[in-house]
Amino acid sequence: MTYDGRHLLADLYGCPVLDDVALVETALRAAADSAGATVIGLHLHHFGDGQGVTGVALLAESHMSIHSWPEHGYAAVDIFLCGARHDPAAALDALCRHLAPTRISQQLVRRGDI
Amino acid sequence: MTYDGRHLLADLYGCPVLDDVALVETALRAAADSAGATVIGLHLHHFGDGQGVTGVALLAESHMSIHSWPEHGYAAVDIFLCGARHDPAAALDALCRHLAPTRISQQLVRRGDI
């Protein structure tokens, strides 16, 4: 077995539109596609007009999530993928093409000594 | 606004039972309760008999997830909570009461400079 769990945490600042559920869904699907990951469920919640969105994609390879605070132009992203052929950085690039942050802070954490 | 985003990543080893969807759901609900968090959706996927389970709780305060590899006694957990009154450590304690790991490796990441 090649587990190779990689968990990328990214803070996205300066995003112009973060209260749009369809945009969050599109960004998550594009991220999964870019990483070659398989979506087994996608769940979205909008906290109200002009308010934040939570989106989580359940993947065969773990999960991806976006939580947004439009009033701050801020989105918290995590991309957790197992399997060496799935690239969290490619997923983040795809997300950023849709969410258009002006600044990104990120941290990659290796998961699971198995 | 007090954002105070805290993201706890925990690797749980030596868990005796990790192919039980009901147990994963119970663990996630107990974790949310212990942190005083509000579940707005709970999604589970079982990869097959004797195989792993993915469980994700969407929260008003962000999310929690469990991905399990029963063949290794290993579960990857993340607990992402915003708001100072919600304690990720309490949530992890509750999870561990149900999943019963013999060893835990954990890392707390502060999220979002907003």
Side-chain angles (χ1 to χ4, degrees):
Chain A
M1 172 189 182
T2 303
Y3 168 68
D4 197 32
R6 286 174 290 171
H7 203 158
L8 180 59
L9 309 183
D11 293 319
L12 277 50
Y13 301 95
C15 301
V17 178
L18 287 176
D19 61 346
D20 181 337
V21 179
L23 176 67
V24 170
E25 176 171 358
T26 298
L28 282 170
R29 291 195 185 278
D33 283 350
S34 292
T38 301
V39 176
I40 56 179
L42 202 146
H43 306 283
L44 297 149
H45 181 81
H46 194 181
F47 288 90
D49 272 1
Q51 296 188 50
V53 177
T54 278
V56 176
L58 275 63
L59 306 174
E61 300 82 5
S62 292
H63 76 263
M64 297 181 183
S65 76
I66 298 173
H67 303 284
S68 77
W69 284 262
E71 67 274 29
H72 294 280
Y74 169 69
V77 165
D78 80 319
I79 297 168
F80 184 10
L81 294 168
C82 56
R85 70 190 180 86
H86 303 289
D87 181 6
L92 181 60
D93 285 349
L95 271 178
C96 289
R97 282 196 292 276
H98 290 276
L99 300 184
T102 55
R103 181 167 68 89
I104 303 169
S105 171
Q106 58 181 293
Q107 178 175 351
L108 182 66
V109 180
R110 292 272 170 186
R111 300 296 306 268
D113 180 21
I114 60 174
Chain B
M1 172 190 181
T2 303
Y3 168 67
D4 196 30
R6 286 173 290 170
H7 202 158
L8 180 60
L9 309 183
D11 294 318
L12 278 50
Y13 301 96
C15 301
V17 178
L18 286 175
D19 62 346
D20 182 337
V21 179
L23 176 67
V24 169
E25 176 171 358
T26 299
L28 283 169
R29 290 195 186 278
D33 283 351
S34 292
T38 302
V39 176
I40 55 178
L42 201 146
H43 306 284
L44 298 149
H45 180 81
H46 194 181
F47 288 90
D49 273 0
Q51 296 188 49
V53 177
T54 279
V56 177
L58 274 64
L59 307 174
E61 301 82 5
S62 291
H63 76 264
M64 298 181 183
S65 75
I66 298 173
H67 303 284
S68 77
W69 284 262
E71 68 274 30
H72 294 280
Y74 169 69
V77 166
D78 81 318
I79 296 168
F80 183 11
L81 293 168
C82 57
R85 70 190 179 86
H86 302 291
D87 181 5
L92 181 60
D93 285 349
L95 271 178
C96 290
R97 281 196 292 277
H98 291 277
L99 301 184
T102 56
R103 182 167 67 88
I104 303 168
S105 171
Q106 59 182 293
Q107 178 175 350
L108 183 67
V109 179
R110 291 270 169 187
R111 300 295 307 268
D113 179 22
I114 58 174

